[in-house]
Amino acid sequence: NDYVEFTAKGDENTNLLDWSKDWTIGVTLTEFDVKSDGKFITLFSSGQNAILLRRGGSNHGLYLTGNDGANKAGINAWYAPNPGGKLMFVNDGTNGFLKYYIGNVDGSYALRGVVNIASATLGNNNPGSNFCIGKRVGSNAVAESLMFHGGMNNTIIAAEAFGNASPLIQEYFEVSEAYDESSFY
């Protein structure tokens, strides 16, 4: 039930988790508990905006919120993240969608979904000055998500949306631990 919270994002990352801006987040899952209870778990949040996964066995649908979890819009990915694997979220604010990649321990990866930023989410776009990893959103039992249960390592953020053909995406998934030697560092 712990989480990490940065009270400020820094000048270059002020747009992080703003659905109308470009940004990229990547993370290595050192531990991940695959359950199928249908509950929402929060991966990242800023203000009232958040990226959540819905625990559904092999599905783990991807959901976005802009109003502290009260409304959620997303997709069924039909793939659960892998312990030891990586996740990447690429938000294209100009065109209004977020891409969701799941990577494996061996460096392979696949685009597992594209979420169109729903008008309800965009209309409630409320990012804050903070950036949280694993902190739940919502303030009542109906809308509340769970904190992330598991372990994360090597979180990267970028103030740009890595493009489809970007060599940065492939490089990110191929790197095992030497991130400071990568071109995106």
Side-chain angles (χ1 to χ4, degrees):
N1 289 324
D2 289 332
Y3 59 88
V4 176
E5 182 169 7
F6 299 94
T7 56
K9 298 178 197 173
D11 292 341
E12 292 188 20
N13 295 303
T14 58
N15 295 327
L16 192 60
L17 262 77
D18 181 333
W19 308 125
S20 66
K21 306 295 183 192
D22 294 348
W23 46 264
T24 300
I25 300 174
V27 66
T28 302
L29 300 172
T30 57
E31 298 173 33
F32 188 76
D33 191 16
V34 176
K35 292 186 177 183
S36 52
D37 58 13
K39 294 187 178 181
F40 293 94
I41 55 172
T42 305
L43 297 175
F44 305 104
S45 62
S46 176
Q48 293 185 1
N49 290 2
I51 297 174
L52 309 113
L53 292 180
R54 187 160 195 181
R55 299 192 300 201
S58 63
N59 182 12
H60 275 74
L62 175 69
Y63 288 82
L64 311 176
T65 185
N67 59 353
D68 210 26
N71 293 348
K72 299 171 190 75
I75 58 166
N76 291 321
W78 299 112
Y79 291 89
N82 303 307
K86 296 180 184 181
L87 302 179
M88 179 179 277
F89 305 91
V90 179
N91 195 72
D92 182 334
T94 304
N95 295 307
F97 59 82
L98 180 133
K99 292 185 178 181
Y100 174 45
Y101 296 87
I102 298 177
N104 302 304
V105 176
D106 66 2
S108 62
Y109 68 95
L111 175 64
R112 293 300 183 196
V114 178
V115 180
N116 290 319
I117 307 299
S119 58
T121 302
L122 197 54
N124 291 305
N125 187 21
N126 295 302
S129 59
N130 65 335
F131 177 67
C132 303
I133 302 170
K135 182 180 180 182
R136 69 176 162 220
V137 296
S139 56
N140 63 53
V142 175
E144 187 173 62
S145 67
L146 301 175
M147 290 189 191
F148 177 78
H149 291 267
M152 292 185 188
N153 195 13
N154 296 322
T155 300
I156 65 143
I157 57 174
E160 64 182 278
F162 291 0
N164 283 342
S166 173
L168 297 176
I169 294 174
Q170 181 174 348
E171 182 180 9
Y172 171 74
F173 284 103
E174 289 177 348
V175 171
S176 58
E177 287 292 325
Y179 286 90
D180 59 344
E181 297 173 9
S182 302
S183 64
F184 56 78
Y185 183 76

